[in-house]
Amino acid sequence: MLRGMLSLSTTSPHGKARPDPTARAPADPLEPLARQFRDLRSSRDGLSAREAARRLEVYGPNELARRGGRRWPGELARQFTHPLALLLMLAAVLAWVSGTPELGIAIAAVILLNAGFAFAQEMQAEQAVEALAAFLPERALVLRDGDRCEIEARLLVPGDVLLIEEGNASARTRG
């Protein structure tokens, strides 16, 4: 079906309509969706169960990576091994050796402050991710083989067609 390809607003001397060269064809609202299906190698019927299983194997489960256990000592120590921190440590040592220990102490203080702020920021980001994880739905409604299926949200893969209704919490896929 050809919709809105040409605008027929002028007529020829023979009374026939001819295309207006200045008129633009209206945008097809389905084109971006078709492009998404093409790029994700999916269709309006969703993925086949076999293809979804293959993609789950390739991409892994759709879940947030969580860190467990006590990791903060290592994270804090890592702040001191960044290239800038190492360069500043070298500058502090050189300042001390060259006879200006006050400058060396000031540079060391900058290193400590930088490490402390960076560490605190990383800890806050991890806490934010954990808090957001509580809002993710556990199940999702998708099209697989053309049928509506309710699956665990962690089994979503790139190319799945999510069915969302008003009031539903939405599961997100990574990819």
Side-chain angles (χ1 to χ4, degrees):
M1 176 175 149
L2 296 174
R3 289 186 300 153
M5 298 245 345
L6 297 173
S7 173
L8 302 174
S9 60
T10 59
T11 56
S12 68
H14 305 292
K16 294 185 180 178
R18 67 177 181 213
D20 180 2
T22 62
R24 297 184 66 185
D28 185 358
L30 300 178
E31 182 180 85
L33 187 58
R35 190 176 311 133
Q36 288 291 323
F37 284 134
R38 182 195 70 214
D39 291 347
L40 292 170
R41 294 183 181 94
S42 188
S43 71
R44 290 183 180 278
D45 293 331
L47 299 171
S48 68
R50 182 177 176 191
E51 178 62 15
R54 186 191 74 76
R55 291 184 186 195
L56 184 61
E57 192 69 31
V58 170
Y59 297 109
N62 180 42
E63 43 191 28
L64 292 172
R66 295 186 180 168
R67 298 179 184 178
R70 183 176 165 172
R71 297 181 47 104
W72 71 265
E75 301 252 342
L76 183 58
R78 200 180 77 218
Q79 299 301 325
F80 295 101
T81 60
H82 285 274
L84 180 60
L86 294 173
L87 185 63
L88 286 172
M89 284 182 208
L90 178 64
V93 169
L94 289 175
W96 192 280
V97 170
S98 68
T100 53
E102 299 85 13
L103 181 59
I105 292 171
I107 294 173
V110 167
I111 295 169
L112 290 172
L113 282 172
N114 182 54
F117 286 135
F119 174 73
Q121 191 173 19
E122 281 188 22
M123 289 294 111
Q124 285 177 340
E126 282 187 30
Q127 289 172 353
V129 167
E130 290 296 324
L132 287 173
F135 292 104
L136 293 177
E138 294 180 18
R139 305 203 55 79
L141 189 61
V142 298
L143 281 177
R144 294 262 172 98
D145 293 316
D147 297 324
R148 296 168 67 114
C149 302
E150 188 171 323
I151 62 170
E152 291 181 49
R154 65 181 211 82
L155 300 178
L156 287 170
V157 295
D160 263 333
V161 177
L162 289 170
L163 301 174
I164 300 173
E165 296 173 348
E166 188 175 341
N168 286 1
S170 67
R172 296 179 183 236
T173 59
R174 63 185 172 99

